Amino acid sequence: MKQEIRNCQNCKQAFTIEPDDFAFYEKIQVPPPTFCPQCRKQRRLAWRNDINLYSRPCDLCKKSIISIYSPDSGLTVYCVKCWWSDKWDAKDYAQDYDFSKPFFVQFQELQRRVPILALANDNGVTGGSVNCEYTQDFTRAKNCYMVFLAWKLEDSMYSHYIIDCRGLVDCLSSWGGSDSVYEGILADQCYRCRYVYYSTALSESAFCLDCRDCSDCFMCTGLRHKQYCFKNQQYTKEEYQKILKEYRLDTYSGVERAKKEFGEMLYLKPRKFANFRNCANSTGDFLANCKNIRDGFVLQRVEDCRWVESSDAPKDSYDLSTGGELEQCYEGITPDHSYQSRFAIFSWEDRDVSYIDGVHSSTDVFGCCGLKKSQYCILNKQYSKEEYGIMLKKIREHMDQMPYVDRNGVAYRFGEFFPAELSYFGYNESMAQDHFPLTEQEARKRNFNWREKLQMTVGKETMRIDEVPDGITDVKDSITNEILACIECRRNYRIVPQELEFYRRMNIPIPRRCFYCRHRARTNFRNPFRLWQRKCDCQGVAVKEKNYQNIADHFHGVKPCPNEFQTSYAPDRPEIVYCEACYNAEVA
């Protein structure tokens, strides 16, 4: 088929469907989307809560548990052990398909009745994670606290999307064997580092951006194969250690001084338009060992995918808000280890399924919730193979003839993800708020849900922030018994013993902000998961309007670089953005 330009039925903006896209939709037997890529992503993320946790009872064993579902969500919530047990059967909640109602109305009715897993983690499950109660979308780990969207992890805290690492605290989107890293964003193969961003293979370094294969470097950008550098200048070991000691990074005041000076350096040198490592025929940002990727972000070992983010080893899939080791999946939230999973929420090891929530190890099911090891089910009701095929055809026709129409007048037929207005999460507790931040007024105007009260405490502090010692060496064990208040949002928070031990070992001062404010700062610092078409900023000799002078000869001489590219740096951002050739001439 030829390329087509269509208007998004949600935001009314034009978007393009390429011939390869049409081929994919035909292969997995879904119609082309009627929402643009950004509206599809926002709609999916409105169904995903990673970091907002609640205390509530398990509705089966009645024990107090931690869950991503608010007590006033109206859901029946089971703890991990109860949910995976044989004490209940999701098929007991089966309902007949009603051809007088839109499908999505019926699915919501089922969704609100079937018990849902409190947290998508394997803590306490035989062969699963150990001592990882406060984690979500999480598996194969031990001794982790407040870590979300992670696996193969040890001794880590307060982080989001971490794979195959240990000893990480306050990190975002890191993988590849990093160990003992504090405040890292896309820090790969780093050891004993703090405040390192978009960097690979660093050790004993702090406040570094876009550095590679360096050790003992402080407040540097764009370095390669260096040691004992400060503000990109070479020093002897003795000179470097003297500078580092003078900054007192073991104190809060010393860190704040370094942050201010480092912030002033961030826009002085060119940035590469995208961060790729061992990739072919790909567009996006932060890709490693990928090929044939379009519009992908923070991916490793991915092939033949489009509009996929924060994923490990998916193949031939579109529109995934995280997924691992899957193939031919579409519009999903973590449909791990699945094949031809369409419109799935936290459902693993499935095959040929559509419109499911919390369905595992199943095949040929449609519109189901909470099933395990099932086949030929619709709305949790068991059918024969022949009955299932007949019903499935009728339901798809019914979804087209009687679509669900949301409060904005947008019609949802077969081929669309679940309507955001039916989500059991408020927009402000979902991951949509991270990527598409809205005020309550804006969210309600667009008919998103809003959670009136997120679980948090304020005004219960037992120690004022100005009473917290400036240096970590002066902090007493008793601080783990105190309640602090975030200097930004006033939310109360604690320092747990495991956390204090890490700060002491790494000589890091006690944080003055709560985890949620620290997480928000990291997501704001990271580039958005979106691409813009723009030209290389290199003007030949200098980038006059940005006060940068080239230090090397470029292939285009003194004339402006002719190269264009797709980049996650929006055109109105202050960074100097170079194509790969110009960047390599200046930095590599």
Side-chain angles (χ1 to χ4, degrees):
M1 297 183 69
K2 296 181 180 180
Q3 178 190 89
E4 286 188 21
I5 298 177
R6 300 186 178 184
N7 288 326
C8 173
Q9 69 158 329
N10 186 56
C11 71
K12 312 306 179 186
Q13 298 298 309
F15 69 101
T16 303
I17 302 179
E18 305 286 353
D20 288 348
D21 304 334
F22 282 115
F24 174 80
Y25 303 136
E26 183 177 358
K27 177 166 50 181
I28 65 164
Q29 301 175 39
V30 298
T34 66
F35 280 47
C36 70
Q38 290 298 303
C39 286
R40 297 199 301 269
K41 176 182 172 180
Q42 186 178 28
R43 180 179 58 185
R44 280 195 310 277
L45 291 179
W47 284 87
R48 181 180 188 114
N49 169 22
D50 279 356
I51 67 173
N52 289 288
L53 302 181
Y54 299 89
S55 298
R56 60 174 298 159
C58 168
D59 287 316
L60 185 57
C61 70
K62 307 306 179 182
K63 293 180 180 178
S64 179
I65 61 171
I66 303 300
S67 175
I68 58 172
Y69 304 103
S70 169
D72 61 3
S73 65
L75 299 170
T76 300
V77 178
Y78 285 0
C79 68
V80 174
K81 289 185 179 180
C82 286
W83 196 90
W84 285 106
S85 74
D86 58 2
K87 297 178 182 178
W88 69 286
D89 187 347
K91 291 181 182 177
D92 291 342
Y93 299 84
Q95 60 191 57
D96 292 323
Y97 194 88
D98 186 346
F99 287 93
S100 69
K101 295 181 182 178
F103 163 75
F104 289 109
V105 172
Q106 299 178 67
F107 185 83
Q108 186 189 39
E109 293 170 353
L110 178 70
Q111 201 174 38
R112 295 302 193 265
R113 294 189 302 114
V114 177
I116 198 165
L117 184 61
L119 291 167
N121 75 20
D122 60 353
N123 184 66
V125 178
T126 302
S129 298
V130 177
N131 192 27
C132 298
E133 182 182 5
Y134 290 79
T135 59
Q136 160 64 10
D137 198 358
F138 190 89
T139 186
R140 288 183 283 175
K142 67 178 182 179
N143 303 329
C144 293
Y145 176 73
M146 293 291 285
V147 178
F148 309 96
L149 185 53
W151 49 95
K152 301 178 185 177
L153 197 64
E154 293 184 19
D155 305 318
S156 297
M157 295 170 284
Y158 305 117
S159 297
H160 187 269
Y161 192 54
I162 311 295
I163 303 174
D164 197 18
C165 297
R166 64 179 298 162
L168 270 59
V169 175
D170 277 350
C171 288
L172 177 66
S173 303
S174 296
W175 56 53
S178 287
D179 187 349
S180 301
V181 176
Y182 179 72
E183 189 61 47
I185 300 177
L186 293 144
D188 185 12
Q189 302 173 42
C190 293
Y191 174 70
R192 286 191 63 84
C193 293
R194 65 182 78 179
Y195 301 100
V196 289
Y197 311 106
Y198 310 163
S199 296
T200 301
L202 304 187
S203 64
E204 303 287 354
S205 296
F207 291 97
C208 290
L209 172 77
D210 185 27
C211 293
R212 188 176 303 162
D213 189 25
C214 297
S215 66
D216 300 281
C217 289
F218 174 42
M219 227 179 290
C220 295
T221 63
L223 289 187
R224 302 292 186 271
H225 320 299
K226 296 292 185 179
Q227 188 176 28
Y228 305 128
C229 290
F230 170 64
K231 293 189 175 181
N232 285 41
Q233 298 298 312
Q234 185 68 60
Y235 290 87
T236 65
K237 179 180 179 179
E238 293 74 19
E239 291 170 333
Y240 175 82
Q241 290 178 338
K242 183 179 179 181
I243 292 170
L244 195 61
K245 184 177 180 181
E246 190 270 331
Y247 268 84
R248 291 296 310 275
L249 295 184
D250 62 326
T251 67
Y252 179 74
S253 58
V255 168
E256 290 301 295
R257 174 194 171 190
K259 280 184 180 179
K260 184 176 184 299
E261 293 182 22
F262 184 60
E264 294 168 352
M265 297 176 56
L266 294 180
Y267 307 102
L268 301 180
K269 297 188 69 174
R271 305 272 189 99
K272 187 178 177 181
F273 77 100
N275 295 272
F276 295 161
R277 187 171 75 246
N278 191 28
C279 296
N281 190 33
S282 297
T283 63
D285 209 356
F286 306 112
L287 310 181
N289 303 310
C290 297
K291 67 178 181 180
N292 303 328
I293 304 302
R294 292 178 293 164
D295 306 276
F297 299 91
V298 193
L299 307 176
Q300 64 171 344
R301 303 184 301 155
V302 180
E303 299 180 14
D304 306 314
C305 291
R306 190 170 195 189
W307 298 304
V308 173
E309 61 193 45
S310 301
S311 297
D312 180 16
K315 294 182 179 179
D316 197 15
S317 298
Y318 275 42
D319 290 280
L320 300 182
S321 296
T322 304
E325 300 182 21
L326 52 85
E327 188 171 356
Q328 290 188 24
C329 294
Y330 176 57
E331 280 268 44
I333 297 172
T334 316
D336 287 358
H337 303 277
S338 295
Y339 176 79
Q340 288 212 350
S341 173
R342 315 163 191 87
F343 323 111
I345 299 172
F346 289 118
S347 299
W348 309 316
E349 298 181 346
D350 296 312
R351 185 181 182 91
D352 199 8
V353 294
S354 300
Y355 294 108
I356 57 174
D357 187 355
V359 171
H360 303 282
S361 304
S362 298
T363 183
D364 299 290
V365 301
F366 185 97
C368 292
C369 301
L371 295 181
K372 313 179 193 88
K373 299 181 180 179
S374 297
Q375 189 174 23
Y376 305 131
C377 294
I378 298 172
L379 294 181
N380 285 29
K381 181 179 178 179
Q382 185 68 61
Y383 291 85
S384 69
K385 180 179 180 180
E386 293 74 17
E387 291 170 332
Y388 177 83
I390 294 169
M391 281 292 293
L392 197 60
K393 182 178 179 181
K394 290 181 178 178
I395 291 170
R396 288 186 57 161
E397 292 174 352
H398 173 254
M399 291 177 69
D400 290 337
Q401 294 166 1
M402 185 183 286
Y404 175 85
V405 180
D406 70 14
R407 288 171 289 184
N408 290 321
V410 176
Y412 286 76
R413 296 178 171 83
F414 177 82
E416 302 292 348
F417 195 74
F418 305 102
E421 70 180 27
L422 300 183
S423 174
Y424 33 56
F425 295 123
Y427 192 89
N428 51 325
E429 64 182 342
S430 76
M431 295 308 294
Q433 185 72 308
D434 270 10
H435 293 262
F436 305 91
L438 297 175
T439 65
E440 179 179 357
Q441 183 179 11
E442 291 169 336
R444 291 190 183 279
K445 185 177 180 180
R446 296 172 63 176
N447 288 315
F448 289 111
N449 300 325
W450 192 266
R451 183 69 61 200
E452 291 289 350
K453 187 177 181 181
L454 300 178
Q455 185 160 301
M456 59 184 290
T457 59
V458 295
K460 303 293 185 181
E461 53 269 22
T462 60
M463 175 182 278
R464 300 194 313 271
I465 286 296
D466 59 8
E467 295 175 325
V468 178
D470 188 43
I472 188 62
T473 56
D474 297 322
V475 174
K476 298 178 180 179
D477 291 349
S478 60
I479 197 170
T480 60
N481 300 320
E482 305 288 353
I483 302 174
L484 307 180
C486 174
I487 62 173
E488 188 170 334
C489 73
R490 305 309 302 168
R491 180 195 291 258
N492 290 137
Y493 66 103
R494 290 182 180 272
I495 305 298
V496 300
Q498 180 186 2
E499 180 182 2
L500 179 60
E501 188 278 328
F502 177 87
Y503 294 150
R504 285 172 169 167
R505 177 164 51 88
M506 294 285 289
N507 286 317
I508 292 167
I510 298 296
R512 269 57 172 177
R513 290 173 174 81
C514 69
F515 158 71
Y516 295 94
C517 287
R518 302 195 307 264
H519 172 77
R520 188 180 306 111
R522 286 189 291 274
T523 56
N524 290 341
F525 185 90
R526 182 185 64 189
N527 281 17
F529 290 177
R530 187 174 179 180
L531 296 178
W532 286 266
Q533 187 75 22
R534 61 180 289 182
K535 295 181 178 180
C536 179
D537 278 337
C538 183
Q539 300 300 305
V541 177
V543 184
K544 296 179 181 179
E545 68 276 13
K546 296 186 178 179
N547 197 29
Y548 178 75
Q549 183 78 33
N550 285 344
I551 61 174
D553 293 331
H554 292 207
F555 74 94
H556 50 83
V558 297
K559 296 181 180 180
C561 177
N563 287 343
E564 294 189 11
F565 41 71
Q566 288 185 298
T567 179
S568 60
Y569 292 97
D572 58 351
R573 287 180 56 147
E575 293 90 349
I576 304 165
V577 182
Y578 275 14
C579 68
E580 184 166 14
C582 292
Y583 172 87
N584 288 341
E586 294 297 298
V587 177

